Amino acid sequence: MATFMQWVHVMAAVVVVGGLGFLILILIPSLEVLNTEQRETLSRAMAGRFRWTSWSAITLLLLSGVYNTRYYFREVPWGRAWEFLALKIGLSFILFAIVLGLSIPFRLYEPLGTRRRQWLLAAFVLGVIVVLISAYLRRG
Ligand code: HEM
């Protein structure tokens, strides 16, 4: 069961952080080749998939994360590891809030501003930091 939950957790993390990385590094810079109307059409086509994929992955991260916490931290006394885990969970929740906020409604390209893209970038950076803390927890 522990291996299964670890697999679920890592797969969901790959989908969330990898998906954000794909949007930031590949898709958004490539939108320049489309005109405004085409961007709107693409954005509308992606909205439902973005919502369901991100919400499902976040649900799986939460469920497997709670399981992992009970499994790996049950006998760990309060200290540095717990502090880093608390930091990781706090940053994850900010990331989840940004992604949920962006998914209703989902618009990748706004002619008037780049605020949505900046939120996506912030979520990606948070994801990278969360993975770094997770690697530290695993080693420590
Ligand atoms: C964006 C959100 C998250 C990402 C990207 C993420 C990513 C990861 C990764 C990559 C690992 C290492 C797995 C391994 O080495 O086998 C891990 C482990 C872990 N995660 Fe998460 N996670 C996230 C959210 C959460 C949440 C919300 C919780 C708790 C509710 C949680 C609890 C844990 C625990 C307890 C471990 C095991 C740490 C250890 O090895 O001592 N994670 N996570």
Side-chain angles (χ1 to χ4, degrees):
M1 186 65 171
T3 305
F4 174 74
M5 280 301 188
Q6 198 172 358
W7 172 70
V8 169
H9 199 72
V10 173
M11 278 312 301
V14 166
V15 169
V16 169
V17 183
L20 288 169
F22 168 75
L23 291 175
I24 291 293
L25 299 171
I26 298 173
L27 186 75
I28 290 176
S30 309
L31 286 176
E32 307 300 326
V33 299
L34 303 179
N35 63 37
T36 308
E37 200 182 316
Q38 289 169 325
R39 288 171 187 161
E40 283 294 328
T41 309
L42 176 66
S43 186
R44 265 198 302 277
M46 288 173 64
R49 289 186 182 91
F50 180 85
R51 194 172 304 128
W52 279 108
T53 307
S54 57
W55 291 15
S56 309
I58 287 172
T59 306
L60 290 176
L61 271 174
L62 279 170
L63 293 177
S64 55
V66 169
Y67 178 91
N68 278 348
T69 305
R70 290 169 61 97
Y71 187 85
Y72 291 107
F73 279 74
R74 196 197 308 253
E75 272 150 35
V76 177
W78 175 256
R80 186 182 270 258
W82 271 107
E83 285 168 10
F84 273 92
L85 180 66
L87 175 65
K88 173 192 153 149
I89 293 174
L91 295 179
S92 303
F93 278 31
I94 299 173
L95 186 160
F96 295 160
I98 295 174
V99 170
L100 293 180
L102 284 173
S103 69
I104 23 173
F106 178 78
R107 253 180 264 117
L108 264 188
Y109 183 82
E110 284 183 332
L112 292 178
T114 54
R115 197 178 290 177
R116 276 173 183 274
R117 283 186 267 178
Q118 283 166 354
W119 281 116
L120 271 178
L121 179 61
F124 178 56
V125 171
L126 282 172
V128 170
I129 296 170
V130 164
V131 172
L132 176 65
I133 298 173
S134 307
Y136 172 78
L137 286 174
R138 171 90 334 185
R139 298 269 157 183

